[in-house]
């Protein structure tokens, strides 16, 4: 009998719902559902909690081969959170564009100015800059918050959204001849792409 079947059997032997077991183990109901459907394994800490709660040994719960898969799942989950946290922090880092003098003011002044101090570009371009930077920062803040919850799908959504926003920001700044802002956005995009690629390479090993 595999782990997911054992977990279902143990839960039903106590007449517990998935919600009740999740509450007892301090995990989400989604996690219990995933484990019982065989779509993943609990972390080693969660395995210890399950073992303690049902008064069974870990060896009775899970075989050595499944423990290896469980450890791999835990490592992958930690890596996902690590990459998501850094990528979302890089999105928040874009707040510097609001205050650093990296925007050209065209004919009004040869000196570079901050986003809020731009006067030499049309109003709609300034609005586009502000909206893009603000949405990217908000996406990063939401991503950092989500990283603290067991919502891998939400994490992936934030990563995809962040990458799209980084591409749009870099393209808009370059097309509107804002080289410094474009370089910063491009650098963030490259760093995020490197991290995500590194994560995929890690999983492929």
């Amino acid at each position: 009998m595999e782990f997911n079947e054992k977990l279902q059997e143990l839960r039903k032997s106590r007449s517990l719902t998935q919600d009740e077991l999740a509450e007892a183990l301090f995990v989400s109901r989604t996690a219990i559902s995933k484990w019982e459907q065989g779509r993943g394994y609990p972390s080693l800490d969660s395995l210890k909690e399950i073992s303690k709660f049902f008064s069974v040994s870990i060896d009775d719960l899970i075989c050595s081969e499944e423990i290896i898969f469980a450890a791999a799942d835990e490592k992958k989950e930690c890596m996902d959170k690590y990459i998501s946290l850094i990528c979302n922090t890089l999105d928040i880092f874009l707040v510097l564009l609001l205050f650093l003098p990296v925007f050209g003011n065209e004919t009004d002044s040869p000196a570079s100015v901050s986003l809020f101090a731009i006067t030499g570009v049309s109003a709609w371009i300034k609005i586009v800059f502000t909206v893009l930077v603000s949405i990217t920062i908000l996406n990063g803040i939401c991503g950092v918050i989500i990283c603290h919850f067991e919502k891998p799908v939400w994490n992936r959504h934030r990563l995809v959204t962040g990458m799209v926003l980084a591409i749009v920001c870099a393209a808009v700044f370059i097309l509107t001849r804002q080289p410094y802002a474009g370089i910063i956005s491009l650098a963030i995009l490259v760093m995020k792409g490197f991290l995500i690629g590194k994560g995929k390479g890690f999983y492929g090993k």
Side-chain angles (χ1 to χ4, degrees), residues 132-146:
L132 271 178
V133 172
S134 299
I135 290 175
T136 303
I137 294 167
L138 286 174
N139 183 74
I141 292 170
C142 289
V144 168
I145 294 170
I146 289 170

Side-chain angles (χ1 to χ4, degrees), residues 8-172:
Q8 285 184 59
E9 189 176 273
L10 288 168
R11 176 176 62 80
K12 290 174 181 177
S13 70
R14 294 277 190 95
S15 300
L16 295 170
T17 65
Q18 289 186 344
D19 285 314
E20 289 168 338
L21 180 57
E23 187 176 345
L25 298 176
F26 303 102
V27 297
S28 67
R29 191 202 67 80
T30 305
I32 300 294
S33 176
K34 182 178 75 172
W35 300 339
E36 289 192 354
Q37 291 174 24
R39 293 189 292 109
Y41 294 94
S43 66
L44 299 180
D45 286 338
S46 293
L47 274 174
K48 290 176 185 176
E49 288 299 319
I50 294 169
S51 171
K52 182 179 176 182
F53 181 76
F54 289 112
S55 301
V56 295
S57 69
I58 291 178
D59 288 337
D60 288 335
L61 270 177
I62 190 167
C63 69
S64 57
E65 186 177 339
E66 287 178 315
I67 288 177
I68 293 172
F69 286 127
D73 277 353
E74 185 175 12
K75 205 168 185 178
K76 180 181 182 299
E77 187 178 329
C78 288
M79 181 64 79
D80 280 342
K81 285 185 178 180
Y82 173 75
I83 290 173
S84 293
L85 188 59
I86 294 178
C87 287
N88 288 313
T89 302
L90 286 171
D91 281 343
I92 297 172
F93 184 75
L94 218 60
V95 71
L96 293 176
L97 290 184
L98 298 177
F99 307 103
L100 290 179
V102 293
F103 291 92
N105 214 22
E106 294 192 356
T107 56
D108 278 20
S109 169
S112 295
V113 296
S114 66
L115 179 57
F116 293 132
I118 294 178
T119 57
V121 298
S122 63
W124 73 268
I125 290 180
K126 186 175 179 179
I127 290 171
V128 169
F129 288 169
T130 306
V131 168
L132 271 178
V133 172
S134 299
I135 290 175
T136 303
I137 294 167
L138 286 174
N139 183 74
I141 292 170
C142 289
V144 168
I145 294 170
I146 289 170
C147 279
H148 293 85
F149 297 92
E150 291 184 15
K151 300 291 183 182
V153 174
W154 292 4
N155 272 333
R156 284 194 290 272
H157 287 168
R158 294 284 68 74
L159 276 177
V160 171
T161 305
M163 285 298 288
V164 170
L165 285 169
I167 291 169
V168 172
C169 282
V172 167

